[in-house]
């Protein structure tokens, strides 16, 4: 007959507890990943619904005479997704920045938790028309600001 004195109920109970703890950790990680994926899907949809990339490209083409550079970001700067227009120099003489960090001008459209922002200001409603209005206001401020004076 086998010797069962080697089996310790506390030892088995602790192993079972470790198993359950890991299971909870894995479930939480999966839920967090699913939540992050959902936020990215919502961010993509919001950017598409407002035509953010298209409108910012129109700003680049018209305001900056096709100069500057567009950059796309995911999970950066506190945003789920963002698109930025960067340039050096005054608006009327805009150039592509040598380095992004040296850009004189920036227009950033970002999404965070279902809300859209333009240069850190919340967009009143997520529609192309609302985004156009806010972009126009932002561009007016850029043209009337000291940004247009040479450094």
């Amino acid at each position: 007959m086998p010797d069962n004195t080697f089996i310790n109920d506390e030892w088995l109970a602790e192993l079972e507890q470790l198993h359950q703890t890991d299971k909870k950790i894995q479930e939480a990680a999966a839920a967090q990943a699913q939540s992050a994926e959902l936020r990215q899907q919502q961010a993509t949809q919001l950017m598409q619904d407002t035509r953010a990339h298209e409108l910012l490209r129109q700003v680049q083409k018209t305001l900056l005479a096709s100069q500057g550079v567009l950059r796309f970001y995911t999970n950066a700067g506190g945003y789920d997704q963002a698109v930025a227009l960067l340039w050096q120099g005054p608006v009327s003489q805009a150039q592509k920045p040598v380095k992004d960090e040296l850009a004189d001008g920036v227009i950033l459209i970002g999404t965070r938790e279902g809300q859209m922002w333009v240069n850190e200001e919340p967009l009143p409603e997520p529609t192309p028309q609302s985004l156009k209005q806010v972009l126009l206001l932002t561009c007016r401020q850029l043209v009337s600001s000291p940004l247009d004076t040479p450094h």
Side-chain angles (χ1 to χ4, degrees), residues 12-84:
L12 292 176
E14 189 168 339
L15 289 175
E16 177 61 27
Q17 181 61 39
L18 289 172
H19 174 82
Q20 293 302 322
T21 299
D22 185 68
K23 186 176 178 180
K24 288 177 184 177
I25 290 169
Q26 297 309 314
E27 288 171 352
Q32 188 175 19
Q34 186 177 14
S35 175
E37 183 178 328
L38 180 59
R39 281 179 61 169
Q40 282 302 315
Q41 289 172 354
Q42 289 173 334
T44 298
Q45 191 63 51
L46 188 56
M47 290 293 232
Q48 289 173 349
D49 290 350
T50 59
R51 300 175 31 215
H53 171 243
E54 178 186 342
L55 294 175
L56 202 53
R57 176 128 356 246
Q58 289 176 5
V59 170
Q60 178 188 28
K61 182 178 178 184
T62 306
L63 182 70
L64 302 180
S66 297
Q67 296 301 308
V69 64
L70 285 173
R71 297 282 188 241
F72 299 89
Y73 305 97
T74 301
N75 293 324
Y79 291 107
D80 298 322
Q81 286 189 10
V83 58

